[in-house]
Amino acid sequence: MAEREQEKHGTEQKGGMVTMPFIFANEVCDKLAVVGFNANMINYLTTKIHMPMTRAANTLTNFGGTASLTPLLGAYVADAYAGRFWTITVASVVYVVGMTLLTLSAVIPQLLPPPCSPSASSPPCQEANGGQLAVLYTVLLLGAIGSGGIRPCVVAFGADQFDETDPKQSARTWKYFNWYYFVMGVSILVAVTVVVYVQEDVGWGLGLGIPTVLMFLSVIALVCGYRLYRILDPAGSPFTRLLQVSVAAFRKRKASVGWDAKAAELYRNDELDAAISLGGKLVHTKHMKFLDKAAIVTREDDPKSPNLWRLSTVHRVEELKSVIRMGPIWASGILLFAAYAQQSTFSIQQAKTMDRRLSESFQVPSGSMQVFTMISMLTTIAFYDRIFVPVAHRFTGLERGITFLHRMGIGFAISILATLVAGLVEVKRKRAASQHGLTNSPHSVIPISAFWLVPQYSLHGIAEAFMSIGHLEFFYDQAPESMRSTATALFWTTISAGNYLSTLLVSVVHRFTAGDDGSNWLPDDNLNRGKLEYFYWLLTLLQAVNLVYYVCCAKYYTFKPVQVHRVDGGDKSEQDEVELASRV
């Protein structure tokens, strides 16, 4: 019966390493397109749309937040109705439409405000009118919708290609996350160098047209591997199941249940849960006892044909418990991504005022400074996979060297150092501006090398290699099996919350640090007269408090226990084993 359910739920003979070239090709084109679209957008908004700097920064973080929130909707569609493959495909097409519209808006003069010179003697630049802004916001909305379908599904779809019931394939899953992030990083590296260079030094029409074409090619690459993929059928809405458990527990709130004495009496139905527990059933845990009431069988219940709004299985109750247990760890990542968001806003504005020349005839585009984040991230991933893990394995005995919770903790600590260093570099940048009489010249190049920004960019890259991959592993590993797309969406909602928090912090700081003399920590028109270093140090302090919070959450976190059904290849005997799903 279980074998027939597996055949119905997915195509077991497909998948494996043979699918990786198609998935990674899709990811390369996709990230080249998306990052090429986002990396230099702060310059597009300030130089072409003529937005004030603070407003442009908030527009981008709001877009980033929305684009990281829509994955919840995309995950729901994938898990409940369409499946991951078709969700990715349709969402990619939507993204192509949005990028095509943005490319057209960059080359059609009527869709942009009149060009102007930002010099002090010139009249103020005319901001975009309502119609031009409507085009921009439509593009951003289409981008957010497209991201909603792509982001939660691509990572999980790649991991789906490795069968968890096969020990040899399941051992490759955590390596897949490392190399997925590595391929993504290489793509981003190219995007923030080649694509950003074209945008700034050749033209925005071509600079945005290249990502548009690459996004179209990503769809082609994905579809070409269709016959090879291990495609799992959607197992029904996970949100509906979670809601059913909550309602059933509330309706039986007056019922009582003990811990071990009554655990065996809770409702179980292997046939009902077959499609959502191919990798093993979740075992009853002694936490959140009130939810166990949803699995108590009363006289009104029919165990053979249960009303799921009154009676839930232990497996479904444990699904909800698993999601709730992940909440505190989810929340701990918000501040890190709020700090990380500054790289694409204020850090780029810092770079614009500094000497970026590599030679007399070439200077690094300010948007390409993020290349140092990517280089450090890629180097760290390779070091982690090839050196750190084997060495750590000798001491810990864990296949992946250290747990993903330890990996995330290291990332949090390094991120604190990154924002601390960013504030120190800003002090040095403003001192150089003052020494050369350029404090009141916001568009002049200060004679200080932009490569002073490399440490903060590099530290953010190292932090991302530890924290982001660890965070992604955590969600995929600890989420219920049938909620893998939703779990990946939770990773993106952390980024979403971080972007929104960044918007809130920038807005609050900008408002409450404004002085009567026009001074401000985060001025709109002259970063040299601001106190950006104070903002960075505020983030440093908040992250330090957050690290203490994370350590407490990690110390008391309980891994989900799974009952795995195994067959002994020697005597064909079957046995059930309970193991903690930490995949170590």
Side-chain angles (χ1 to χ4, degrees), residues 201-252:
D201 293 304
V202 178
W204 284 98
L206 181 61
L208 292 172
I210 292 174
T212 303
V213 173
L214 289 172
M215 193 69 204
F216 176 76
L217 292 177
S218 76
V219 182
I220 302 300
L222 180 70
V223 173
C224 284
Y226 177 76
R227 293 182 178 275
L228 300 174
Y229 298 138
R230 179 175 178 258
I231 299 178
L232 303 183
D233 298 329
S237 170
F239 298 108
T240 300
R241 292 197 302 277
L242 299 182
L243 184 60
Q244 286 172 335
V245 173
S246 302
V247 171
F250 178 78
R251 295 176 72 172
K252 297 179 180 178

Side-chain angles (χ1 to χ4, degrees), residues 309-328:
W309 295 95
R310 278 194 55 86
L311 181 63
S312 295
T313 64
V314 169
H315 180 84
R316 295 171 185 236
V317 171
E318 291 301 322
E319 282 188 327
L320 179 55
K321 289 183 182 181
S322 295
V323 173
I324 294 174
R325 282 196 296 264
M326 291 192 298

Side-chain angles (χ1 to χ4, degrees), residues 124-386:
C125 295
Q126 178 182 328
E127 293 187 30
N129 59 37
Q132 293 162 344
L133 289 176
V135 173
L136 172 67
Y137 293 142
T138 299
V139 168
L140 295 179
L141 177 61
L142 290 173
I145 294 173
S147 295
I150 297 171
R151 289 179 172 180
C153 297
V154 170
V155 181
F157 182 66
D160 284 344
Q161 306 311 308
F162 302 102
D163 185 0
E164 292 181 351
T165 62
D166 183 345
K168 293 183 178 180
Q169 288 197 33
S170 62
R172 297 172 182 168
T173 304
W174 70 268
K175 284 182 173 291
Y176 161 75
F177 284 111
N178 277 335
W179 289 106
Y180 168 84
Y181 232 85
F182 186 87
V183 170
M184 182 183 72
V186 172
S187 307
I188 295 174
L189 181 64
V190 175
V192 298
T193 51
V194 178
V195 177
V196 170
Y197 173 79
V198 172
Q199 289 171 348
E200 291 200 2
D201 293 304
V202 178
W204 284 98
L206 181 61
L208 292 172
I210 292 174
T212 303
V213 173
L214 289 172
M215 193 69 204
F216 176 76
L217 292 177
S218 76
V219 182
I220 302 300
L222 180 70
V223 173
C224 284
Y226 177 76
R227 293 182 178 275
L228 300 174
Y229 298 138
R230 179 175 178 258
I231 299 178
L232 303 183
D233 298 329
S237 170
F239 298 108
T240 300
R241 292 197 302 277
L242 299 182
L243 184 60
Q244 286 172 335
V245 173
S246 302
V247 171
F250 178 78
R251 295 176 72 172
K252 297 179 180 178
R253 60 191 180 278
K254 296 182 180 180
S256 61
V257 62
W259 288 125
D260 295 326
K262 296 292 185 180
E265 300 176 14
L266 297 177
Y267 181 59
R268 292 170 172 80
N269 189 322
D270 292 345
E271 184 176 356
L272 182 63
D273 292 336
I276 59 174
S277 59
L278 296 181
K281 292 190 180 301
L282 297 176
V283 178
H284 178 256
T285 57
K286 300 179 182 181
H287 303 93
M288 293 172 271
K289 179 180 177 181
F290 59 92
L291 292 177
D292 290 338
K293 296 180 180 182
I296 297 176
V297 181
T298 63
R299 294 180 179 179
E300 293 81 7
D301 296 320
D302 180 5
K304 295 182 179 179
S305 181
N307 174 4
L308 296 178
W309 295 95
R310 278 194 55 86
L311 181 63
S312 295
T313 64
V314 169
H315 180 84
R316 295 171 185 236
V317 171
E318 291 301 322
E319 282 188 327
L320 179 55
K321 289 183 182 181
S322 295
V323 173
I324 294 174
R325 282 196 296 264
M326 291 192 298
I329 301 293
W330 171 87
S332 66
I334 294 175
L335 263 170
L336 180 138
F337 287 113
Y340 191 82
Q342 311 316 313
Q343 289 191 98
S344 58
T345 54
F346 292 115
S347 294
I348 291 180
Q349 293 301 307
Q350 286 177 285
K352 284 185 66 176
T353 69
M354 302 171 76
D355 184 2
R356 293 172 278 118
R357 291 177 298 173
L358 288 179
S359 67
E360 292 298 325
S361 59
F362 178 78
Q363 68 174 4
V364 178
S366 57
S368 292
M369 291 299 294
Q370 296 176 72
V371 69
F372 297 106
T373 300
M374 295 302 108
I375 290 175
S376 63
M377 185 187 76
L378 294 175
T379 303
T380 303
I381 292 174
F383 168 81
Y384 184 90
D385 188 72
R386 296 300 180 184

Side-chain angles (χ1 to χ4, degrees), residues 50-73:
H50 304 157
M51 276 190 184
M53 183 167 56
T54 303
R55 182 182 170 193
N58 283 344
T59 297
L60 284 184
T61 51
N62 283 335
F63 163 68
T66 303
S68 297
L69 190 61
T70 51
L72 279 177
L73 177 61

Side-chain angles (χ1 to χ4, degrees), residues 520-570:
N520 198 301
W521 281 19
L522 305 174
D524 280 325
D525 53 359
N526 188 353
L527 203 59
N528 298 335
R529 298 187 61 85
K531 296 289 185 182
L532 180 60
E533 67 274 18
Y534 290 174
F535 181 66
Y536 281 140
W537 291 336
L538 173 63
L539 287 173
T540 302
L541 177 61
L542 292 174
Q543 286 191 96
V545 175
N546 183 66
L547 177 59
V548 176
Y549 163 78
Y550 170 77
V551 170
C552 294
C553 292
K555 181 178 180 180
Y556 294 104
Y557 181 78
T558 302
F559 290 97
K560 67 175 185 182
V562 180
Q563 181 176 326
V564 182
H565 186 75
R566 301 188 186 280
V567 178
D568 192 316

Side-chain angles (χ1 to χ4, degrees), residues 329 384 388 392 396 398 400-414 466-467 470-471 473-474 547 550-551 554-555 559 584:
I329 301 293
Y384 184 90
F388 181 84
T396 66
L398 302 179
R400 61 175 57 176
I402 57 176
T403 68
F404 39 68
L405 292 179
H406 288 114
R407 182 172 187 171
M408 290 165 60
I410 294 172
F412 281 125
I414 296 174
F466 279 94
M467 192 278 170
H471 217 195
E473 285 183 295
F474 168 77
L547 177 59
Y550 170 77
V551 170
K555 181 178 180 180
F559 290 97
V584 294

